[in-house]
Amino acid sequence: MTERSLKNKHKSRIGPKDFKRNSRAKRQGDRAIGFVAITMIASLTFMVTYL
């Protein structure tokens, strides 16, 4: 019997289409969190510099 990775086990349990949708949503969520963090740092830098 071959060893399967956790990712493949999860993929086979929930179905490939759902796995793809979930991974895409996770990527978009990570991107949104990064955007918010960068925006907060930029606004904080602006306030410290100009005020």
Side-chain angles (χ1 to χ4, degrees):
M1 199 161 96
T2 60
E3 284 292 321
R4 296 191 328 179
S5 68
L6 287 176
K7 192 173 188 178
N8 283 337
K9 286 181 185 177
H10 183 67
K11 190 175 187 177
S12 65
R13 190 170 66 241
I14 65 171
K17 285 195 183 285
D18 290 334
F19 181 81
K20 193 172 184 180
R21 185 183 311 124
N22 289 345
S23 59
R24 188 178 301 129
K26 189 175 183 183
R27 256 196 325 267
Q28 288 175 347
D30 291 344
R31 190 178 304 142
I33 290 170
F35 177 74
V36 169
I38 289 172
T39 305
M40 287 176 60
I41 291 172
S43 64
L44 188 64
T45 304
F46 174 78
M47 286 195 299
V48 167
T49 305
Y50 292 108
L51 297 179

